[in-house]
Amino acid sequence: MAADDPKTLVSTEWLEAHLEDPDLRILDATYFLPGVDRDAKAEYATSHIPGARYFDINEIADARSALPHMAAPVEKFVSRMRAMGVGDGHQVVVYDAMGLFSAARVWWNFRLMGKNDVAVLDGGLPKWKAEGRPLEDMPPILRDRHITVQRQAHLVKDVTQVAAASKLGDWQIVDARSPGRFRGEEPEPRPGMRSGHIPRSKNVHYASLLNADGTMKDNEALRAIFEAAGVDVGKRTITTCGSGVTAAIVMLALHRLGNADVSLYDGSWSEWGQFEQLQVETG
């Protein structure tokens, strides 16, 4: 059972105890991979944690990019959060309907904007439901709230920076995809992508960091998993995955282990896998 930390992970017990806090903001950041026949927004409307707002990863994104759900420009993030009544002085808790899947992406999104009072709900909605905790179908009452952001450019990497890191080895690159996709043995879910991984990257499947109930493993277990994959938990790291969602779970785990020098490759394999001029390794 991971210890409660309002800057990384909090338990269902912690959240229920703080539900009435005036400065708490809860976000449902459920996102399903292409090909999964579920509607995140409709599920939110039917049932969510009391007071939760819906954070649409595909909409609060950079519409100018052809890549899926790239981080939104500052102005768009600010306008969406203000309208949702999320702003300065708030403690934000993010959850998703998978347990721990897309919520970590939104945790990173807030940190990218310089907002660090944000935590992921450990075990997410499935654990909350399994424990019989309160749910509602009412939309929350939204009041515009001022939000000040300061983009933290060091928390995100673009393809040029990742290519340099791959070549020089001055950052370690950790890929959160499944071992089969990493080795190039399983097809990519998005059409037109090559199979394999970024040269010199290490593989830590995000699912290996989680318990069966979708909660994150304790620090001792996390450390052992990273070490077994050849990852130095103290070294500066770039995390990557299919489209920048599960890479944030690896980042969250490294934060739990005290490594704050972690950046996320936002384009991830959706970008790297489509350009022939970028090298790919298999096996």
Side-chain angles (χ1 to χ4, degrees):
M1 178 78 183
D4 288 321
D5 169 19
K7 290 186 181 343
T8 54
L9 270 181
V10 293
S11 63
T12 49
E13 289 80 5
W14 186 97
L15 182 57
E16 189 169 12
H18 289 84
L19 273 184
E20 302 299 321
D21 291 10
D23 286 329
L24 177 75
R25 291 294 178 269
I26 305 170
L27 301 177
D28 181 326
T30 303
Y31 157 80
F32 298 116
L33 284 171
V36 176
D37 191 21
R38 288 175 70 179
D39 182 335
K41 206 179 269 186
E43 289 186 22
Y44 160 80
T46 312
S47 174
H48 52 259
I49 294 174
R53 292 119 161 91
Y54 182 66
F55 188 109
D56 189 336
I57 283 176
N58 284 328
E59 198 285 318
I60 304 171
D62 187 351
R64 301 163 305 186
S65 173
L67 296 166
H69 45 247
M70 293 286 278
V74 167
E75 309 73 42
K76 186 173 187 179
F77 184 86
V78 165
S79 73
R80 295 297 187 273
M81 289 310 102
R82 282 191 67 154
M84 283 164 70
V86 179
D88 297 342
H90 283 150
Q91 168 65 48
V92 176
V93 175
V94 194
Y95 73 86
D96 65 61
M98 304 281 280
L100 208 171
F101 183 65
S102 50
R105 164 89 188 176
V106 175
W107 168 81
W108 166 77
N109 234 304
F110 272 85
R111 296 188 74 89
L112 179 63
M113 296 297 171
K115 309 305 274 183
N116 294 336
D117 292 328
V118 55
V120 170
L121 179 62
D122 204 18
L125 193 59
K127 187 170 190 283
W128 183 271
K129 281 181 168 172
E131 291 164 352
R133 300 186 190 274
L135 293 162
E136 66 177 19
D137 58 6
M138 297 289 294
I141 295 160
L142 304 181
R143 292 187 185 87
D144 199 300
R145 176 79 170 231
H146 181 72
I147 183 167
T148 327
V149 306
Q150 196 164 14
R151 194 170 186 274
Q152 307 295 306
H154 64 283
L155 294 181
V156 64
K157 292 280 182 270
D158 65 23
V159 66
T160 313
Q161 294 167 311
V162 177
S166 167
K167 203 170 187 172
L168 300 170
D170 55 344
W171 289 71
Q172 58 187 356
I173 302 171
V174 182
D175 191 323
R177 293 175 304 153
S178 67
R181 284 172 68 188
F182 180 82
R183 293 193 295 259
E185 297 160 1
E186 288 171 15
E188 286 297 306
R190 290 178 175 82
M193 296 289 133
R194 297 173 297 164
S195 293
H197 57 265
I198 298 166
R200 290 175 99 143
S201 58
K202 309 270 174 58
N203 186 209
V204 176
H205 188 206
Y206 78 90
S208 70
L209 304 171
L210 306 177
N211 296 307
D213 64 354
T215 54
M216 188 164 273
K217 290 179 176 172
D218 63 38
N219 284 7
E220 201 179 335
L222 294 177
R223 188 170 270 109
I225 290 161
F226 282 115
E227 284 171 1
V231 175
D232 177 345
V233 296
K235 189 183 173 186
R236 60 184 190 169
T237 304
I238 297 168
T239 63
T240 181
C241 59
S243 66
V245 174
T246 59
I249 299 174
V250 174
M251 179 189 264
L252 182 63
L254 288 167
H255 263 261
R256 295 284 291 180
L257 295 173
N259 184 356
D261 202 356
V262 188
S263 296
L264 186 142
Y265 172 26
D266 203 8
S268 282
W269 200 254
S270 298
E271 182 173 43
W272 195 279
Q274 66 173 299
F275 292 113
E276 294 298 329
Q277 60 270 42
L278 296 168
Q279 284 187 308
V280 166
E281 279 181 359
T282 53

